[in-house]
């Protein structure tokens, strides 16, 4: 995560330099696009070389480290969240990357790994990984919100102050694209969008989602207690 923030800071300094030549949005999108591709290639090659090499060298199966694989996916998801605004095709590339990573990891586990000696606590680990993913999302909200809602970074900026590029070129802020798009819609459709984005709709939806999450948590806790009781009965 520190590497990702360092990359975002370096890209910010690059596009704000006086001698910058090019489209800011294109440069940021290309860098994050290349980073996802390189991460996919490196992780795949590392998995194949290290795991298969260790197996064929020692002829012994090892336990699969699921935490390492999940952290790779969390990091890649962070790259996708950070770069989607400047590179809209990045979610598709990320999906293909995760499919490749899954297929390679599945083949390696089937070939070189043995069952774990200690039972994996799915509930506890899933909560930790989902919390880590949520923390990553909240941390990335800061730089992404700065780009979307302020004039600090103009994704359509070029070396020529009179020439702009990309879908955000004629907007002071990326969020202004929605305003321009909404102004070109028919009156009834514009009214529908305005109603959907109003507090009358947004607040109830947020409270409903929070209520669903709360009751889902209660259901999981209930199932966990039931499972614990079942284990105690089996041990007796």
């Amino acid at each position: 995560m520190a590497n990702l923030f360092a990359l975002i800071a370096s890209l910010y300094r690059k596009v704000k330099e006086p001698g910058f030549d090019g489209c800011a949005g294109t440069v940021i999108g290309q860098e994050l696009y290349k980073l996802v591709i390189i991460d996919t290639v490196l992780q795949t090659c590392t998995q194949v070389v290290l795991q298969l090499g260790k197996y064929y060298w020692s002829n012994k199966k090892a336990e699969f480290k699921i935490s390492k694989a999940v952290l790779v996916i969390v990091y890649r998801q962070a790259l996708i969240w950070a770069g989607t605004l400047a590179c809209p095709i990045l979610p598709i590339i990320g999906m293909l990357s995760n499919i490749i990573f899954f297929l390679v990891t599945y083949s390696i586990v089937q070939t070189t790994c043995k069952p774990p000696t200690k039972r994996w606590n799915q509930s506890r680990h899933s909560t930790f990984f989902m919390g880590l993913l949520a923390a990553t999302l909240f941390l990335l909200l800061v730089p992404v919100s700065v780009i979307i809602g302020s004039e600090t970074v103009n994704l359509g900026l070029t070396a020529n102050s009179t020439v702009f590029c990309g879908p955000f070129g004629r907007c002071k802020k990326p969020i202004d694209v929605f305003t321009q798009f909404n102004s070109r819609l028919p009156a009834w459709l514009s009214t529908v969008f305005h109603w959907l984005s109003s507090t009358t709709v947004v607040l109830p939806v947020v409270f409903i989602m929070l209520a669903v999450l709360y009751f889902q948590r209660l259901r999981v806790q209930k199932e966990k207690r039931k499972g614990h009781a079942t284990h105690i009965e089996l041990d007796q």
Side-chain angles (χ1 to χ4, degrees):
M1 187 55 62
N3 294 335
L4 183 57
F5 273 96
L7 174 65
I8 294 174
S10 64
L11 290 176
Y12 174 77
R13 289 194 298 267
K14 182 177 181 179
V15 300
K16 297 295 287 186
E17 288 178 354
F20 172 72
D21 184 18
C23 180
T26 301
V27 172
I28 295 173
Q30 286 176 344
E31 292 298 324
L32 290 170
Y33 173 84
K34 289 186 290 186
L35 193 57
V36 172
I37 298 296
I38 292 173
D39 179 68
T40 303
V41 174
L42 288 179
Q43 290 295 339
T44 302
C45 293
T46 302
Q47 285 267 71
V48 172
V49 173
L50 292 182
Q51 295 294 333
L52 292 180
K54 185 188 298 184
Y55 172 70
Y56 287 113
W57 178 264
S58 62
N59 201 24
K60 293 181 179 179
K61 293 187 175 183
E63 292 185 14
F64 176 64
K65 297 180 179 179
I66 192 169
S67 58
K68 183 179 179 180
V70 172
L71 290 177
V72 170
I73 295 176
V74 170
Y75 174 69
R76 190 170 300 154
Q77 186 61 48
L79 293 177
I80 295 170
W81 281 335
T84 299
L85 186 65
C87 182
I89 199 175
L90 204 57
I92 299 177
I93 301 300
M95 179 189 68
L96 296 176
S97 172
N98 287 333
I99 291 174
I100 294 172
F101 183 74
F102 169 76
L103 293 176
V104 172
T105 304
Y106 178 79
S107 301
I108 290 175
V109 170
Q110 289 289 96
T111 306
T112 68
C113 294
K114 63 180 181 180
T117 54
K118 185 179 180 181
R119 187 175 65 87
W120 187 63
N121 192 332
Q122 181 181 1
S123 177
R124 181 165 58 86
H125 284 78
S126 297
T127 303
F128 171 74
F129 291 134
M130 291 301 293
L132 183 62
L133 191 61
T136 304
L137 175 61
F138 285 119
L139 287 174
L140 287 174
L141 282 177
V142 177
V144 173
S145 299
V146 170
I147 295 176
I148 291 177
S150 71
E151 302 177 16
T152 305
V153 180
N154 191 337
L155 295 180
L157 182 68
T158 62
N160 189 345
S161 59
T162 61
V163 178
F164 297 91
C165 64
F168 309 111
R170 299 184 180 277
C171 303
K172 293 182 179 180
K173 298 178 292 186
I175 199 171
D176 292 340
V177 171
F178 176 75
T179 305
Q180 295 180 2
F181 171 74
N182 193 31
S183 64
R184 293 193 295 266
L185 292 175
W188 66 271
L189 191 55
S190 178
T191 304
V192 171
F193 274 111
H194 179 73
W195 177 75
L196 290 175
S197 60
S198 65
T199 55
T200 307
V201 176
V202 173
L203 284 179
V205 170
V206 170
F207 285 126
I208 290 173
M209 291 176 62
L210 291 175
V212 170
L213 290 175
Y214 175 74
F215 286 112
Q216 179 69 13
R217 182 180 179 183
L218 291 179
R219 189 185 68 82
V220 171
Q221 291 177 348
K222 182 180 178 181
E223 293 294 333
K224 185 176 180 180
R225 288 194 297 267
K226 183 177 179 181
H228 182 67
T230 304
H231 280 294
I232 293 176
E233 292 178 1
L234 291 174
D235 291 338
Q236 292 176 353

